[in-house]
Amino acid sequence: MNNFVLCGFMGCGKSTVGRELAKLLGYSFVDMDTYIEDKANLTVSEIFEKYGENYFRNLETEVANELSQKSNLVIGSGGGAVLKENNVDAFRNGGKIIFIDVPLKVIENRLKGDTTRPLLATGKFETMRKLYSERIATYNQVCDIKITNDDNKDAKLVAEEIIKFIK
Ligand code: S3P
């Protein structure tokens, strides 16, 4: 398989960069959260609220496996998707994992006032910082390619940079 899975913290640009990357490659873009929402006929927040995080994580694994069987996809994974080894195995079988590394400060600014992400629902920067510091090592560890965007570069430029790495 020849897919590219974008991973990284919430707000790092997995979907915006993913769409640009898919255009450049002539691939289709699939956002995992949107795919899950369509499958469940509920928003991610509603899934967390009604059934809890574990239920969401199981759906996420189902979708990771399903999408990894396909090819010519750029997949925008959810920020927690690569924390599960099974998902990483599926992604690796399906292609390469690309980590979009964006500093916490930039992410904090981007996600200020966001109401769509249940894990950040407290609105507290502390919560975000804790999750970020718990996860950053995993993102670094699971990726085949790492792209740093520490100056808020446009998604298209980030996608072009990725292309340079993968060509
Ligand atoms: C999550 C990230 C979200 C979504 C869910 C859980 C996480 O996706 O999957 O709210 O655990 O980091 P984005 O990274 O696209 O915001």
Side-chain angles (χ1 to χ4, degrees):
M1 293 324 165
N2 57 354
N3 299 328
F4 292 99
V5 179
L6 301 185
C7 82
F9 201 75
M10 293 173 263
C12 74
K14 298 179 293 281
S15 305
T16 47
V17 172
R19 279 195 188 89
E20 295 296 336
L21 182 62
K23 255 192 248 167
L24 292 173
L25 290 167
Y27 281 23
S28 301
F29 175 73
V30 181
D31 178 81
M32 274 181 69
D33 285 339
T34 308
Y35 197 90
I36 292 168
E37 289 180 335
D38 290 346
K39 227 176 155 77
N41 211 12
L42 292 168
T43 65
V44 169
S45 295
E46 285 167 344
I47 299 172
F48 268 70
E49 210 176 288
K50 282 195 167 181
Y51 302 114
E53 181 172 352
N54 269 349
Y55 184 88
F56 171 80
R57 296 299 174 196
N58 290 337
L59 284 178
E60 192 169 52
T61 296
E62 240 176 64
V63 167
N65 284 313
E66 198 175 311
L67 294 177
S68 300
Q69 312 282 324
K70 303 179 190 245
S71 42
N72 297 336
L73 294 184
V74 173
I75 300 167
S77 69
V82 296
L83 303 177
K84 222 190 207 179
E85 220 173 297
N86 284 352
N87 298 348
V88 174
D89 290 344
F91 292 149
R92 285 206 178 120
N93 286 333
K96 297 239 176 298
I97 302 176
I98 301 170
F99 167 33
I100 308 177
D101 185 25
V102 171
L104 184 59
K105 262 259 132 303
V106 175
I107 288 182
E108 188 199 3
N109 273 327
R110 286 189 191 167
L111 296 186
K112 226 176 254 166
D114 177 85
T115 54
T116 64
R117 292 172 171 90
L119 293 180
L120 303 178
T122 63
K124 286 191 187 135
F125 177 52
E126 282 312 308
T127 314
M128 196 190 292
R129 183 158 66 188
K130 184 166 179 291
L131 278 177
Y132 186 94
S133 63
E134 282 167 2
R135 291 172 169 194
I136 192 80
T138 305
Y139 295 139
N140 274 296
Q141 197 189 319
V142 302
C143 69
D144 300 294
I145 297 165
K146 170 173 160 175
I147 293 287
T148 302
N149 185 10
D150 46 15
D151 51 2
N152 240 336
K153 263 195 300 282
D154 185 71
K156 187 151 184 256
L157 289 178
V158 181
E160 284 167 357
E161 216 172 297
I162 294 174
I163 292 279
K164 278 189 216 145
F165 268 93
I166 61 186
K167 285 266 150 116

